[in-house]
Amino acid sequence: MVILNRFIEKSIVDKLSSNKVLLLLGARRTGKTHLLAQIVRKTKTPYLLLNGEDFRTSAWLQNKSIKEYKAFIGTHKLLIIDEAQKVENIGAILKFMIDGINDLTIIATGSSAFDLTQKLGEPLTGRSITYHLFPIAQCELNKYENAIETVANLEQRLIYGSYPELFKYESLQEQQQYLSELVNSYLLKDILAFDGIRNSSKLLMVLRLLAFQVGSEVSLQEIGQQVSLTRNTVERYMDLLEKVYIVFKVGGYSRNLRKEVVKNHKYYFWDNGIRNTLVANFNPLTLRNDTGALWENYMISERLKFQSYKHMLSNNYFWRTYDGQELDWVEERGGQLFAYEFKYNSDKAKIPAAFDRAYPDSVFEVVNKGNYLPLIS
């Protein structure tokens, strides 16, 4: 199956005459360059495409007058800079262009390896629109498969994930090889490009510990002790892992009860395939003891993709008390709480008594493989 369209494509195309900078952010290999190709193929807007990884392009963009930029762009109304984070002072350059050239729209893409949004920072406040691109989401797959095919493909997505290039490989061995190369050649390479990150083995150890703790609260202090790093170094590593879209963290919810746990965070992976590559386990579900963790990671990552693509405003948490009552997922939106428990094979779960007493107007649902689709698609 070939994925032709991404969910955010239409929104970007609709903004091509907005006289703004459209920021397209996401991990490597999630399809940013392919998405750009689709956009320029469908637009009638005259465009100019640059690659920030070309040192000549990066050097030329420095220290130019608005007259020089205008002459270079000419009659083009759309300027595209792929891998824009490679260009020094890119924020100031884009601000200078967008303020000085009428009817120009700019698309700037970047893996988050160098945190493009932070590099742009204040200069583009009010002048930019940010889009995030993730591994393929279920809400993007709906137009390419029916409900029966979706159910049939569920186990494979729990194990191998949904990076775009996986869909062109027919054998599981090819998919495993691709994921291994993705982790070692692209994602870790991005992280290690940061100044001060020299020890790839320590970073891998941290990632693997996170992979084994999916669905559990993570103590940065304990991870530091296990890999012989300071807590501050582990915290820095975690921040970098979030910036390159490998993991994301979820905090604990608390509003009323002193016994609610909020100190530690949980960490999840944006893609199950990356997680399983790190633990070197591509066994089918019948041979695994971590199906619950895979299901929880899959549902939460897919839910966040859905929220992002649908522009759904929600504060997201887990919930737990010191006496062990817990909920996998809590959303605070529209002035109401929505609580979810993720059970792959079961619908037998009750709302915790303490949560029900503290938040009696909340909505509770058990999400399993029989009813999960409405939540993510």
Side-chain angles (χ1 to χ4, degrees):
M1 179 179 62
V2 179
I3 303 299
L4 298 177
N5 300 103
R6 300 303 299 268
F7 198 93
I8 58 177
E9 180 182 314
K10 184 179 184 302
S11 178
I12 295 175
V13 170
D14 290 343
K15 296 292 192 300
L16 291 185
S17 58
S18 63
N19 192 221
K20 289 184 178 291
V21 178
L22 311 181
L23 303 176
L24 177 59
L25 307 179
R28 289 187 182 271
R29 317 307 293 181
T30 50
K32 297 187 300 297
T33 301
H34 178 73
L35 176 57
L36 288 181
Q38 294 298 100
I39 289 170
V40 299
R41 187 176 293 122
K42 293 179 179 180
T43 183
K44 295 180 180 179
T45 305
Y47 69 91
L48 179 65
L49 175 61
L50 306 176
N51 191 325
E53 292 187 309
D54 185 329
F55 73 94
R56 293 166 299 183
T57 296
S58 181
W60 187 89
L61 287 171
Q62 307 298 318
N63 304 316
K64 294 293 186 294
S65 66
I66 199 66
K67 183 178 180 180
E68 289 174 300
Y69 286 134
K70 284 181 177 180
F72 177 71
I73 294 172
T75 60
H76 300 105
K77 298 299 182 182
L78 173 62
L79 173 65
I80 302 172
I81 307 177
D82 201 7
E83 298 298 340
Q85 81 282 346
K86 295 287 188 179
V87 181
E88 188 176 353
N89 300 317
I90 186 62
I93 291 171
L94 295 182
K95 176 184 181 296
F96 195 42
M97 287 184 179
I98 211 69
D99 286 349
I101 304 176
N102 294 330
D103 301 323
L104 176 68
T105 298
I106 301 173
I107 300 177
T109 82
S111 67
S112 299
F114 293 85
D115 196 7
L116 182 56
T117 53
Q118 187 175 14
K119 272 199 165 187
L120 294 172
E122 190 64 28
L124 284 175
T125 301
R127 301 172 178 87
S128 64
I129 302 172
T130 300
Y131 297 90
H132 299 276
L133 192 66
F134 307 100
I136 303 292
Q138 181 56 52
C139 60
E140 295 175 302
L141 290 167
N142 289 341
K143 65 175 69 175
Y144 300 102
E145 60 185 21
N146 58 41
I148 295 175
E149 291 171 323
T150 297
V151 172
N153 290 327
L154 177 59
E155 179 171 344
Q156 185 169 350
R157 286 171 192 154
L158 290 177
I159 298 171
Y160 290 91
S162 301
Y163 266 79
E165 288 188 45
L166 282 178
F167 293 93
K168 73 180 184 181
Y169 297 116
E170 294 186 1
S171 76
L172 298 183
Q173 184 178 5
E174 287 177 312
Q175 293 189 21
Q176 292 175 22
Q177 182 178 353
Y178 170 75
L179 286 169
S180 179
E181 292 175 354
L182 177 63
V183 168
N184 291 294
S185 299
Y186 291 100
L187 302 185
L188 290 182
K189 181 180 177 181
D190 271 357
I191 303 169
L192 295 173
F194 280 90
D195 290 337
I197 303 299
R198 300 288 182 262
N199 198 329
S200 60
S201 63
K202 295 284 188 183
L203 186 62
L204 269 174
M205 290 170 67
V206 170
L207 265 173
R208 286 175 178 141
L209 286 173
L210 288 180
F212 282 114
Q213 295 183 53
V214 163
S216 301
E217 292 169 65
V218 173
S219 167
L220 302 189
Q221 185 72 31
E222 290 180 7
I223 286 183
Q225 292 172 355
Q226 288 178 280
V227 299
S228 301
L229 293 172
T230 67
R231 187 190 186 283
N232 287 342
T233 300
V234 173
E235 189 170 17
R236 180 165 173 259
Y237 279 16
M238 298 295 205
D239 182 55
L240 299 181
L241 292 170
E242 288 189 80
K243 286 178 178 176
V244 295
Y245 288 84
I246 296 179
V247 302
F248 57 90
K249 67 182 176 184
V250 178
Y253 182 79
S254 179
R255 193 166 65 190
N256 292 327
L257 303 179
R258 288 185 178 181
K259 62 181 180 179
E260 289 171 322
V261 176
V262 295
K263 181 179 179 181
N264 293 327
H265 293 89
K266 291 185 178 183
Y267 284 82
Y268 296 92
F269 286 77
W270 278 111
D271 186 78
N272 275 34
I274 300 300
R275 185 266 179 186
N276 288 328
T277 302
L278 290 164
V279 300
N281 188 353
F282 293 102
N283 287 336
L285 297 184
T286 54
L287 300 178
R288 306 182 72 108
N289 60 8
D290 60 353
T291 298
L294 293 181
W295 180 240
E296 184 175 332
N297 193 95
Y298 175 77
M299 286 304 305
I300 290 175
S301 61
E302 287 291 326
R303 180 62 174 170
L304 289 182
K305 295 177 194 176
F306 182 78
Q307 288 179 354
S308 176
Y309 290 154
K310 292 289 188 176
H311 306 291
M312 181 183 296
L313 184 61
S314 175
N315 296 320
N316 302 306
Y317 310 91
F318 70 91
W319 178 86
R320 187 173 76 82
T321 63
Y322 287 104
D323 61 4
Q325 298 185 62
E326 60 184 332
L327 285 164
D328 293 331
W329 190 245
V330 175
E331 296 183 5
E332 184 180 43
R333 49 185 167 85
Q336 190 170 6
L337 290 181
F338 298 83
Y340 302 94
E341 190 68 17
F342 300 121
K343 300 286 187 183
Y344 182 66
N345 277 316
S346 174
D347 59 359
K348 296 180 180 179
K350 294 182 179 180
I351 187 169
F355 190 88
D356 195 27
R357 287 194 301 269
Y359 313 108
D361 296 327
S362 62
V363 176
F364 173 71
E365 183 179 0
V366 180
V367 181
N368 57 42
K369 64 180 180 179
N371 68 353
Y372 74 100
L373 280 173
L375 193 65
I376 63 174
S377 65

